[in-house]
Amino acid sequence: GLELCQLGCRAVEVTADTTDAVRVISELSKRLPESCLLGVGTIMDVSQMAIFAPLGVKFALSPIAPTGFIEACHSRGILAAPSGLTSNELWSLHTHGAKLVCSLFPDVSCGTE
């Protein structure tokens, strides 16, 4: 993470399923320059935010947008970046306050082969 910021990256994501993720995020939050945002990814359950929020993450990504994810992030001053694909999913994320949708996961039913 430090090397990426030194090379010009302005945001670093550590996935929640990284070995020793809490330690890694905690160390990075102490050592990254303020110009580089630290986030957590692969949030699969909203309860994980209680673990990662106190470590200083500025954004959180989820491939599934668990119930309460957006609200849990925003109430802690963290940008929530859930994922969606269909117009209904995207609208639901928007009405729940999502400012950013991080991924549109393609599906064979959408015409990709």
Side-chain angles (χ1 to χ4, degrees), residues 4-20:
L4 290 172
C5 288
Q6 290 168 349
L7 291 171
C9 287
R10 295 292 166 237
V12 175
E13 170 199 356
V14 177
T15 60
D17 58 357
T18 296
T19 301
D20 243 354

Side-chain angles (χ1 to χ4, degrees), residues 45-46 64-71:
D45 187 283
V46 70
I64 61 166
T67 302
F69 170 69
I70 296 167
E71 296 85 354

Side-chain angles (χ1 to χ4, degrees), residues 21-94:
V22 170
R23 183 188 60 74
V24 171
I25 291 172
S26 181
E27 277 299 311
L28 283 173
S29 70
K30 295 173 194 168
R31 299 178 64 195
L32 287 178
E34 287 185 26
S35 62
C36 192
L37 299 177
L38 177 60
V40 61
T42 318
I43 297 295
M44 302 300 286
D45 187 283
V46 70
S47 65
Q48 291 176 286
M49 292 312 301
I51 297 167
F52 294 108
L55 302 178
V57 297
K58 302 297 182 198
F59 63 92
L61 292 85
S62 175
I64 61 166
T67 302
F69 170 69
I70 296 167
E71 296 85 354
C73 289
H74 291 178
S75 69
R76 293 172 166 98
I78 297 168
L79 175 66
S83 298
L85 174 63
T86 68
S87 57
N88 284 342
E89 290 170 339
L90 298 174
W91 180 251
S92 177
L93 296 172
H94 168 71

Side-chain angles (χ1 to χ4, degrees), residues 85-86 104-113:
L85 174 63
T86 68
L104 300 173
F105 287 104
D107 182 307
V108 171
S109 65
C110 293
T112 59
E113 296 186 63

